[in-house]
Amino acid sequence: DIDFGKLNKLEYFDLSNNSIKKLPKSMTNLPDNCKIFTGRNPLKSPPIKMAKGGEQMKPATIARFYAEEMCKQPGFTLQMMDKHIMECDVEDIDGLEEICHGMRNIIRSKKSLSAELRQECMERAAVVRNDKKLIKNLKHEGKTGLYLHAVCRSYCITPEVIKFCLTSFGKGCASKRNASGLTPLQCLTSNPMATD
């Protein structure tokens, strides 16, 4: 079995024309920006229709497929989803959004889930979507300090998001305090839903 996590500098992975039917879940450990070329393969898992233009996938696309399959299982829980995200080593906010989008679509149609679990899944997906919008709209350090506190209370906490805020808008963000006198790091460590 290949340890795809060790291929941390890989940018392109050409699997075209190889009669491949299934991409292993472990391929989600490839770098987030790695382009996986899958054209002219009879792919079923994930299906070739998930590939961009029928030719190219990202590790997040594979992670999304396996997340959707997990959501279909009886006994699905949010803890299973959290574990899946950690196992896939997803740190990119676009990747998280893709996984949550797939999860939301399956959960929405799965009537066997409790209303409470369905609602929590929808809320988590919405948090990720909103965090992505906020990141793209940030303009100056003051907003970033506020955003950093919001992110540290949300589901979508990754080292990448924290690093983005600190490096893009100045190190002063790390020392900003919220109304309770807590720094972002203190908010982060007190959050029971924080991804590592």
Side-chain angles (χ1 to χ4, degrees), residues 32 60 85-86 90-103 124-125 128-129 131 155-158 160-161 195:
D32 294 325
I85 289 170
M86 289 179 75
V90 178
E91 295 181 351
D92 173 81
I93 197 160
D94 292 313
L96 273 172
E97 185 189 34
E98 184 158 355
I99 291 173
C100 287
H101 178 72
M103 176 181 78
R124 285 192 180 196
V128 172
R129 190 171 59 248
D131 281 353
Y155 173 60
C156 177
I157 302 165
T158 69
E160 181 196 61
V161 172
T195 54

Side-chain angles (χ1 to χ4, degrees), residues 133-144:
K133 286 179 191 171
L134 280 167
I135 281 180
K136 293 196 170 185
N137 292 329
L138 286 174
K139 298 294 180 205
H140 58 79
E141 187 179 317
K143 282 186 183 175
T144 307

Side-chain angles (χ1 to χ4, degrees), residues 104-181:
R104 188 181 68 230
N105 289 344
I106 299 296
I107 298 290
R108 192 178 279 162
S109 61
K110 191 172 179 184
K111 304 299 181 196
S112 61
L113 288 178
S114 71
E116 185 180 326
L117 179 56
R118 191 179 298 121
Q119 179 65 30
E120 191 170 349
C121 289
M122 295 299 141
E123 285 172 6
R124 285 192 180 196
V127 165
V128 172
R129 190 171 59 248
N130 292 337
D131 281 353
K132 182 179 175 185
K133 286 179 191 171
L134 280 167
I135 281 180
K136 293 196 170 185
N137 292 329
L138 286 174
K139 298 294 180 205
H140 58 79
E141 187 179 317
K143 282 186 183 175
T144 307
L146 294 173
Y147 173 61
L148 208 50
H149 285 290
V151 141
C152 288
R153 291 193 307 270
S154 80
Y155 173 60
C156 177
I157 302 165
T158 69
E160 181 196 61
V161 172
I162 302 297
K163 186 178 174 187
F164 175 91
C165 290
L166 296 178
T167 58
S168 299
F169 298 94
K171 294 178 182 171
C173 299
S175 61
K176 289 191 180 293
R177 296 186 179 272
N178 66 10
S180 303

